[in-house]
Every structure is written in C-alpha cells, then in structure tokens.
C-alpha cells in the first residue's frame, strides 16, 4: 500500500509503519520490467466435473450407493489405508450414474473415488490432469478368458479343485460347474452393505453383535444341489476361497480329520479379487459345488493372500467357518465367518474376515470376502437358527440409507461436499492499492474460507455452509469482502450469519433474502463490510503479517447461504471460490477481484484501465497490473509473505510458474524448497 495515500496514524506506531508498510507506486516491485504472460490466469486450482458409472454390464443400477472423492491416500504401519481431504460425495442416481463436481489444486494429478458398496470397485484412482469434465467407471470390467491370452492352470498345489482356472485365478473350462452369471439385485447389495459395513467391528456394534455364531457351516436337512455366487470384496489381499463337507452327525475335529471329512478342502475361487483390484473375478460369477445328501455339513475356508499368480499358496494362514479351527489364542476372536439368512432373496449371505484377528491391521468387519450360497430346493438348508441380514434404515425417508447419509434425520439434506476439505481453510490474498500497485506481498487482506455445499438425495444443492477467517491484514485500509454467484439473486432464499459483527457497517445494504441490495444480475453476498471488525484483536496496525509481532488466532465467521431447492447440481452452481472480491476502505465501488474475474454491477467501471491497471473489459481482461501481475490470488493451502516481501521473492518459483502458464512448478507455494523461509509468515 502507498503510505502517502492513506490517513495519518498515531505517532506511537509511525516507526513500525515506516518499516513495514507497502512501498509507494513509483518504486514498488509491481513496476519492475519483468512481464508475465498476459493470458495466464494464475489459477492454482482446477475445476472438475466428474461422471461416475455405477451400472453393471447386466443392467443392475447401484442406486443409492454412496461414493466419496478424496484428494489423498496413505497407509499406516498396520497396512490400513486412509483417505484424506474429502472433496465431494453423492449417491448413485436411478440411472446408475453419479455426477458431481469439485475443485482440486493444479499440483494434484489424481483423486480417489471410494466406495465400499458390494459389487463396485472399492477405489478408483482418477487422473484429473486434463481438468474439465472427466468420466470414470466404478464397475469392475470383466474380460473373459476367450477375449485375452490365458493359460489352463490345473495344479491345486495340494488342494482339490472344482475346475481349472486361468492366469487371473478365474475358473474356466467346466460348463457343468461354471454356471451362468447372476444379476445380483441392488436390494441384496444394499442389505449386505448395511449389515456388514466397512471398518465397523461387528462384535462391538450392539445392532450386529448377534451376527457371529460359533460354527457358521451350511447344514442340509434334505438332499440338494448347492451353488456359490461371488459378490464382492473389501480387501487388499488376493484371497482364495474353498469348501469341505462332512456328515453333520459326525463332525470333524479339525481340518486334518480325514476320517470325518468327506469332501477334502476344495478350491472354489483361487483369487477372490475383482477386475481392476488384483484379479478378474466379476460379481455374479456362479459355481455349482455339487449335489449333497441330507445331513451334509458344508464348511468354508479362506486362504489369506492365497493367490500367488499361478496357484494357491499351501500352506498359508487359513481361516475356517468353524471357529475352533482358527489360530487366535482368544476364543472370542476365533470367529472368521458370518452366515446370514436373506429370506427375501432366498439366499445365504457369507462374509469372511481375512486377517488374523489378533493383528493390528484387522478391522473385524467380516466383509473382506463376500459371496452367497443357495440351494435347490431352498428349503433344504437348515436356516432356522441363523441370524438374518439387517434391512437398512432410512429414518428421514429421503431414499438414502442412514449409514450413507450425512444427515440421517433430515429429509432435505444428505451429503457434504467440501472445499478445500472438511477441516482446512483455503486462502484468498489481496493487494488493496488498486488501480495503483503496491509491494505485492499479497497480505493486505488474506481471507481464509471453508465451504461445505450440502446436497440432497437427488444430488441437488440445498445450502452452502461457509466459514471464514480474516487471516491477515497487512494494511491500514479497512476493506470489505464478498462473493458473487453465477445465478440470479432470487435463486437464493436466505443468507444468515452467526456472527453479528460480520456485516456491521453502512457500506452495503442487504436485500430481504440476505443478498446484496442493488445487484440484480448475479447474486452477491457480502461477508463483511470491515475487515477490522472480524479480526481479534485489531488495533489499526498490522495483523498477522509481522513475524516478530504477536500472532492472533482469527475468529471463525459462519454463514449459511440457502438456495432454491432442487434447482442446481454442484456443477451448475459453479466452482469455489465463485467470484470473491474485496472493496477498498469503505468504498463499495472500488472492487478488487481475481485475475480476469468480472466486477459486479456496483463497481466503479471508470477506474478499470487507469493507474497501473490494464483491464480491457471488451476482451474480458480484468485486474492485472502493468506487468500482468494479479491483484489477488486464490490458493487452497498457503503461507502468505511477511509484510513488504514481494511474493516473487518469497516464493522463488512463482515467476517461472507463471511464465510456463502453470505447466511447471505447480507446487511453487507448497514445496518448502521453493521458498525463502525468512519472507514467509508462519504462525
């Protein structure tokens, strides 16, 4: 800021002012001869519209399945995967599609679409380098052996087998055993998802504590043909699945009790991994186990990470449906399989826990290997005493089950969609001497924001829950701040704030719905009129821009913007940060926007193109200095420069980044190697 243009301050703070205030225009860094590209918009984020397919090749539409989008993935010491930075979430619609939108840093090349809905891929890594509209498939794509090069592997490595298999461990070449693919109903999948939710310990959940029984074998009371159909997995291992039989009146004492075991351990699926997840076994793959007499017991076993790329590892740690056969030292941890009656479908749902339950990485959710058994006739299976699948609850009746609903008791709301994520604040940084240049330390006003766009069951926008922080005031000007949406003012029903001081002052006037009065084309929302009233404490000197001075914790300002219901998707609403701007020192008409963002209809357009501003409205060029430097920046996670430190000197890759049109050094602001630490403010 030009100190000669501003009001005089008290003598007690003049020495500090002379040391730290912005440099006059005539000698400021903004007037250097270094010219930056005239067409570069200084975007550090890209807007992504993502279309996800969740419709199977057999026509099953996974309506209601929740899919979340994350920006990062990590694995802890126990091998447990964690996703961070949730960007968006939504439910698959009646057409089997989820359309959503979000914003990601240009330095981020890919995001993760994550769901644990049975029959869908748990994770799809999606490249977003190109930006714009991107499509991805959450449905595993099965390629039959006939459509690719595959071998016949018939060596069971000590196990019996129902048939041979190919290089991916998919059974082949035995039509008497391999049955037609099954179309698994979305109702069954929803029941499984709700009954065996990912990451929830079954025994610790009161609603699910009775799902575990000591021996989870299938028991026949009549002669029957028994089938197994593969459903899904929620595992990082390539597990093998098998079965054995015995007479239920002469139960074997262990897996090596050859005198009592009738059918020796026989592999059904040597690799229970979905296509795109370490295997090629599609959901709905069906196998005939055989015809068995009355009083036959059918037990199952899971070989942990059994598939070795050719056959089944033997021995590997193996877990059985009979709990006493399992290796854990504590009896209550020896259960590894649940067997659940699903009367509506006349199927028996089976889920395995694939890790030793005494290890740190085990989540005890019993959904690592999922399949179902059925018999002809159905009544041949003795299911009287078996627990049943739990039908999902939808307390608010919005069509999204409680376990997937971020607002299970609110019919109008279902999903949270954050920018930049659920906990952090993105930054908007402004120079306030416009149309003159200052020192380009980009800290005259730094506003942090966190947006949560709440959508309903139909993935339509309900409201935006916004949080703001005045992170820094490196100025003597008392600036206001607002944002403009790309929609008419009457599409907003109300704007409310929880902090009375937010919009104190007479600089602007609110209309009846809370938007700014006098703006009739695009809805403008004023967040605050005076930055000084949103910082605590603020005494008229620099606030959080001088490293040696006291650092203050900025109060969080909360605002809710409610939209006309069932009108906009997130993509139609537009991308954060929308069109944010400041207005300078109580003068509403003197606006400063991000590069090439249009001013509102209340701006003083006569100032465009004056001083050092080179705006050309007819060419959609706005808010650029004479050397094409912007007067504002938007960065998702940013440590701004200290007072009087030009951003180009604080961040030594800023200029190369801009000169490359953002193709190099996209992480110029986040990579510690690219900064002069002495010129960057750190709380």
């Amino acid at each position: 800021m030009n100190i000669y243009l501003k009001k005089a301050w008290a003598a007690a703070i003049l020495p500090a002012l002379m040391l730290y205030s912005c440099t006059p225009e005539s000698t400021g860094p903004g007037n250097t001869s270094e010219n930056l590209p005239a067409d570069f918009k200084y975007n550090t984020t890209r807007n992504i519209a993502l279309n996800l397919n969740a419709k199977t090749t057999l026509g099953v539409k996974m309506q209601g399945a929740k899919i979340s989008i994350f920006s990062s993935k990590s694995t802890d010491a126990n091998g447990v995967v964690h996703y961070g930075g949730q960007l968006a979430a939504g439910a698959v619609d009646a057409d089997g599609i989820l359309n959503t939108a979000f914003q990601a840093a240009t330095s981020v090349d890919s995001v993760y679409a994550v769901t644990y809905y049975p029959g869908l891929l748990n994770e799809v890594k999606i490249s977003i380098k190109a930006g714009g509209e991107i499509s991805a498939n959450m449905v595993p794509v099965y390629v039959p052996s006939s459509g690719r090069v595959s071998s016949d592997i018939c060596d069971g490595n000590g196990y019996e087998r129902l048939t041979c298999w190919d290089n991916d461990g998919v059974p082949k070449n035995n039509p008497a055993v391999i049955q037609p693919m099954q179309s698994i109903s979305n109702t069954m999948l929803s029941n499984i998802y709700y009954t065996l939710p990912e990451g929830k310990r079954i025994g610790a959940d009161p609603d699910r504590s009775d799902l575990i029984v000591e021996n989870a074998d299938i028991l026949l009371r009549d002669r029957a043909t028994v089938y197994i159909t593969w459903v899904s997995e929620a595992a990082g291992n390539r597990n093998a699945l098998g079965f054995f039989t015995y007479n239920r009146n002469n139960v074997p004492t262990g897996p090596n009790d050859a005198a009592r075991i009738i059918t020796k351990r026989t592999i059904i699926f040597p690799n229970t991994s979905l296509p795109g997840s370490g295997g090629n076994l599609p959901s709905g793959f069906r196998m005939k186990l055989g015809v068995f007499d009355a009083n036959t017991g059918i037990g199952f076993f899971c070989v942990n990470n059994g598939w070795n790329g050719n056959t089944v590892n033997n021995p590997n740690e193996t877990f059985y449906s009979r709990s006493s056969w399992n290796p854990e030292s504590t009896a209550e941890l020896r259960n590894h399989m649940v067997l659940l009656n699903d009367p509506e479908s006349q199927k028996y749902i089976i889920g395995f826990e694939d890790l030793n339950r005494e290890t740190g990485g085990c989540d005890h959710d019993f959904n690592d290997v999922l399949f179902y058994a059925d018999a002809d006739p159905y009544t041949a299976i003795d299911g009287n005493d078996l627990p049943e699948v739990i039908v999902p609850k939808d307390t608010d009746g919005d069509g999204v089950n409680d376990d997937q609903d971020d607002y299970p008791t609110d019919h109008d709301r279902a999903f949270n969609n954050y920018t930049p994520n659920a906990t952090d604040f993105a930054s908007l940084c402004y120079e306030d001497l416009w149309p003159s240049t200052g020192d380009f330390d980009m800290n005259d006003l730094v506003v942090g924001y966190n947006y949560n766009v709440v959508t309903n069951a139909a993935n339509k926008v309900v409201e935006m829950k916004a949080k703001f922080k005045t992170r820094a005031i490196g100025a003597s000007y008392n600036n206001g701040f607002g944002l403009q949406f790309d929609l008419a003012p009457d599409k907003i029903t109300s704007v409310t704030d929880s902090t009375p001081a937010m919009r104190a002052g007479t600089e602007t006037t609110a209309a009846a719905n809370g938007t700014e009065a006098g703006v009739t084309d695009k809805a403008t929302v004023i967040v605050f009129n005076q930055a000084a009233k949103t910082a605590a404490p603020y005494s008229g000197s620099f606030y959080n821009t001088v490293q040696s001075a006291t650092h203050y914790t900025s109060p969080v300002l909360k605002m809710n913007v409610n939209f006309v219901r069932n009108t906009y998707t997130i993509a139609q609403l537009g991308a954060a940060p929308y069109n944010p701007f400041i207005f300078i020192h109580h003068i509403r008409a003197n606006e400063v926007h991000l590069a090439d963002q249009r001013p509102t209809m209340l701006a003083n357009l006569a100032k465009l193109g004056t001083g050092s501003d080179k705006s050309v409205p007819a060419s959609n060029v706005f808010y650029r200095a004479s050397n094409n430097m912007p007067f504002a920046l938007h960065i998702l996670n940013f440590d701004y420069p200290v007072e009087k430190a030009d951003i180009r000197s604080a961040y030594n890759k800023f200029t190369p980044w801009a000169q490359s049109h953002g193709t190099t050094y996209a992480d110029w602001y986040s990579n510690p190697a690219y900064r002069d630490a002495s010129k960057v403010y750190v709380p």
Side-chain angles (χ1 to χ4, degrees):
M1 296 164 294
N2 187 326
I3 62 174
Y4 305 112
L5 298 178
K6 299 193 174 184
K7 63 182 182 180
W9 287 10
I13 62 171
L14 277 176
L17 178 63
M18 295 300 294
L19 179 62
Y20 294 114
S21 63
C22 295
T23 308
E25 178 186 348
S26 59
T27 60
N31 284 327
T32 64
S33 60
E34 175 189 84
N35 285 316
L36 299 173
D39 57 346
F40 182 51
K41 298 184 182 299
Y42 299 91
N43 290 330
T44 61
T45 62
R46 57 166 66 96
N47 302 323
I48 307 297
L50 183 59
N51 305 311
L52 294 173
N53 173 59
K55 177 182 177 182
T56 72
T57 55
L58 296 178
V60 177
K61 302 165 185 175
M62 308 295 201
Q63 183 176 5
K66 180 181 180 180
I67 302 174
S68 300
I69 311 300
F70 296 93
S71 62
S72 64
K73 174 185 176 181
S74 61
T75 304
D76 65 20
N78 291 319
V80 178
V81 173
H82 300 275
Y83 298 96
Q86 181 176 323
L87 302 171
V92 175
D93 63 22
D95 294 322
I97 301 294
L98 170 60
N99 295 317
T100 189
F102 58 90
Q103 182 181 91
T106 54
S107 58
V108 174
D109 292 336
S110 56
V111 295
Y112 300 88
V114 177
T115 182
Y116 293 100
Y117 202 79
L120 295 178
L121 291 168
N122 298 156
E123 172 199 298
V124 175
K125 186 177 181 180
I126 304 168
S127 173
I128 59 171
K129 262 188 173 182
E133 187 168 340
I134 295 171
S135 297
N137 189 16
M138 297 299 294
V139 177
V141 179
Y142 168 58
V143 179
S145 298
S146 59
R148 57 195 169 86
V149 177
S150 66
S151 301
D152 290 349
I153 300 171
C154 301
D155 179 9
N157 196 24
Y159 295 100
E160 300 296 319
R161 52 181 176 75
L162 288 175
T163 185
C164 299
W165 47 75
D166 64 19
N167 303 82
D168 290 313
V170 179
K172 63 181 295 189
N173 295 346
N174 192 340
V177 172
I178 301 172
Q179 304 294 294
M181 290 284 293
Q182 298 295 293
S183 179
I184 304 175
S185 74
N186 194 39
T187 299
M188 176 188 282
L189 295 171
S190 179
N191 289 347
I192 294 173
Y193 184 92
Y194 187 75
T195 305
L196 302 173
E198 172 62 23
K200 292 188 178 180
R201 184 172 182 143
I202 297 301
D205 188 335
D207 292 336
R208 296 171 173 83
S209 59
D210 62 345
L211 299 183
I212 298 177
V213 295
E214 183 176 355
N215 294 307
D217 300 339
I218 287 177
L219 302 177
L220 298 180
R221 51 191 166 199
D222 298 308
R223 182 179 172 85
T225 304
V226 178
Y227 302 90
I228 292 297
T229 301
W230 171 244
V231 175
S232 193
E233 62 163 332
N237 294 326
R238 297 193 296 178
N239 300 306
L241 176 69
F243 79 104
F244 58 92
T245 69
Y246 58 90
N247 188 306
R248 62 187 294 188
N249 297 319
N250 191 22
V251 179
T253 59
N256 298 315
D257 188 350
R260 291 182 175 91
I261 293 177
I262 300 172
T263 304
K264 295 181 180 180
R265 293 187 303 172
T266 302
I267 298 298
I268 306 169
F269 299 121
N271 183 10
T272 58
S273 297
L274 292 167
S277 183
N280 192 37
L281 188 64
S283 182
F285 200 105
R286 183 174 173 84
M287 297 281 281
K288 177 183 175 181
L289 296 192
V291 180
F292 304 99
D293 292 332
N295 293 320
T296 295
I298 304 174
F300 297 91
F301 64 93
C302 172
V303 185
N304 172 257
N305 215 21
W307 178 248
N308 67 8
N310 183 54
T311 188
V312 178
N313 289 320
N314 185 9
N316 249 31
E317 192 164 39
T318 303
F319 305 110
Y320 294 89
S321 52
R322 301 192 66 80
S323 61
S324 63
W325 296 10
N326 292 322
E328 288 81 1
S329 59
T330 305
E332 66 179 17
L333 294 179
R334 290 192 190 120
N335 304 93
H336 271 266
M337 197 185 95
V338 293
L339 175 63
L340 311 171
N341 190 359
D342 186 5
E344 181 178 347
S345 68
Q346 297 191 341
K347 306 289 192 296
Y348 290 86
I349 310 301
I350 300 170
F352 258 106
E353 182 58 50
D354 73 341
L355 295 179
N356 189 305
R357 297 185 64 198
E358 292 178 331
T359 61
C362 182
D363 55 13
H364 312 274
D365 56 13
F366 289 78
N367 66 11
D368 299 327
V369 177
L370 288 168
F371 56 104
Y372 70 75
D374 63 313
D376 182 15
Y378 164 69
T379 55
I381 295 179
D382 187 353
N384 292 338
D385 297 326
L386 292 177
E388 294 186 359
V389 293
I390 305 173
V391 177
K393 298 176 183 177
D394 180 12
T395 301
D396 56 19
D398 64 353
V400 179
N401 296 336
D402 289 1
D403 59 315
Q404 301 181 80
D405 196 332
D406 292 327
Y407 301 85
T409 61
D410 186 337
H411 183 275
D412 291 333
R413 295 165 177 81
F415 303 111
N416 293 321
N417 301 268
Y418 296 100
T419 304
N421 54 54
T423 57
D424 295 326
F425 283 72
S427 293
L428 294 159
C429 309
Y430 294 90
E431 285 288 311
D432 69 356
L433 277 187
W434 180 89
S436 299
T437 55
D439 53 15
F440 282 98
D441 55 15
M442 289 293 172
N443 68 18
D444 294 350
L445 182 60
V446 181
V447 178
Y449 76 83
N450 179 284
Y451 294 153
N452 176 15
V453 177
V454 180
T455 52
N456 61 17
N459 298 317
K460 294 296 181 67
V461 173
V462 175
E463 66 180 335
M464 183 177 78
K465 296 181 178 181
K467 298 177 183 178
F468 300 95
K469 289 181 181 180
T470 299
R471 294 186 61 202
I473 303 175
S476 60
Y477 280 170
N478 195 0
N479 302 308
F481 173 73
L483 56 139
Q484 187 170 65
F485 296 95
D486 192 17
L487 50 86
D490 62 1
K491 299 303 181 184
I492 292 178
T493 58
S494 67
V495 179
T496 59
D497 57 74
S498 62
T499 310
M502 281 179 67
R503 289 191 277 179
T506 59
E507 290 83 355
T508 63
T509 303
N513 66 349
T515 63
E516 186 178 18
V519 181
T520 58
D521 57 348
K522 296 182 178 181
T524 299
V525 174
I526 299 301
V527 177
F528 54 78
N529 285 306
Q530 300 175 25
K533 292 187 177 182
T534 67
Y538 182 74
S539 60
S541 58
F542 298 103
Y543 178 83
N544 292 345
T545 63
V546 179
Q547 196 68 70
S548 60
T550 301
H551 174 78
Y552 297 103
T553 300
S554 304
V556 176
L557 315 175
K558 297 181 180 180
M559 174 179 283
N560 276 30
V561 181
N562 287 274
F563 300 90
V564 175
R565 298 293 193 266
N566 295 310
T567 303
Y568 298 103
T569 63
I570 290 181
Q572 292 169 333
L573 178 65
Y578 310 105
N579 183 4
F581 62 93
I582 64 170
F583 53 91
I584 302 171
H585 201 50
H586 311 292
I587 302 175
R588 174 60 186 84
N590 286 356
E591 296 180 1
V592 179
H593 292 249
L594 297 169
D596 296 338
Q597 291 287 316
R598 284 186 166 275
T600 75
M601 64 181 296
L602 297 185
N604 181 359
L605 302 183
K607 282 205 166 188
L608 296 174
T610 66
S612 293
D613 178 69
K614 58 180 300 183
S615 297
V616 183
S619 301
N620 292 317
V621 175
F622 296 98
Y623 300 102
R624 293 174 177 271
S626 55
N627 61 351
N628 288 311
M629 273 289 286
F631 287 90
L633 286 171
H634 168 232
I635 304 174
L636 291 182
N637 189 6
F638 186 51
D639 297 323
Y640 51 84
V642 298
E643 189 61 37
K644 206 178 179 182
D646 187 305
I647 191 171
R648 291 164 292 183
S649 64
Y651 288 92
N652 54 58
K653 299 303 181 184
F654 178 91
T655 296
W657 165 72
Q659 289 174 334
S660 73
H661 289 80
T663 60
T664 62
Y665 303 112
D667 59 344
W668 63 266
Y669 56 89
S670 59
N671 190 330
Y674 298 158
R675 67 176 66 180
D676 181 341
S678 68
K679 297 180 180 180
V680 175
Y681 186 84
V682 179

